[in-house]
Amino acid sequence: GLGVALICTGSCLSSCGGDKSNDPGQAGPGKGPATGTKATIDLATQLLSVGSFTTVSGVLFVRLAAGNATSSFTATQADCPHQGGTLNWIAASNLIQCALHNAQYSSAGQVVRQPVGGGSTTALKLYPLSISGTTLTATVV
C-alpha cells in the first residue's frame, strides 16, 4: 500500500517537475537550448517596435533600438538560470525579468537583482546574432 503510493508519487513528481532534460530543445532547466541551435525570426512581421520581444526555440529575442542592425537586438536564453522560469522583457524598466522569482537581468544578460525569496542566479547566456534580408538569426554557442 504505502510503498506503491510512494513510488507513484515519485514518478508523478519527476514527470511533472520543471526539469526539461527530455526536451530536445533544452540542455536542462535554465540552461538554454542545445549548442548549435539556430533560432530565427522574420523582422518583417516580428519585433516591429522597440521594446517588443518573442521567444523562439528557447531563445529570447528583444528589440532594443530602431533599425535592423544586429546591435538593435539582443538574444539570450529564454529560461532563467535560477530555476528555469520564463524570462520576459520589461520595456518600462529595460530589464529581463523571471516570471517565477522576479530575478532581473540587463539586456547584456548581467544580474541586476537576485531571485526574490532566496537563492541566487547567474548571468544569462547571450547568443550572437546575424541578419540576412529580414531574417534575424541567433546561434547558440
Side-chain angles (χ1 to χ4, degrees), residues 55-69:
T55 298
V56 175
S57 300
V59 176
L60 174 67
F61 289 92
V62 180
R63 178 180 279 278
L64 301 172
N68 282 355

Side-chain angles (χ1 to χ4, degrees), residues 22-121:
N22 293 328
D23 181 345
Q26 296 289 323
K31 304 284 190 235
T35 300
T37 299
K38 290 188 182 287
T40 62
I41 59 169
D42 182 0
L43 296 174
T45 60
Q46 296 175 287
L47 301 183
L48 300 176
S49 60
V50 174
S52 57
F53 69 96
T54 191
T55 298
V56 175
S57 300
V59 176
L60 174 67
F61 289 92
V62 180
R63 178 180 279 278
L64 301 172
N68 282 355
T70 56
S71 60
S72 296
F73 304 91
T74 192
T76 71
Q77 65 191 81
D79 293 331
C80 182
H82 173 236
Q83 290 186 349
T86 301
L87 296 174
N88 296 297
W89 177 249
I90 309 300
S93 304
N94 288 322
L95 294 170
I96 298 168
Q97 182 169 301
C98 175
L100 193 57
H101 295 110
N102 297 317
Q104 293 181 336
Y105 306 87
S106 71
S107 61
Q110 296 305 308
V111 176
V112 173
R113 182 175 76 195
Q114 290 292 335
V116 174
S120 64
T121 189

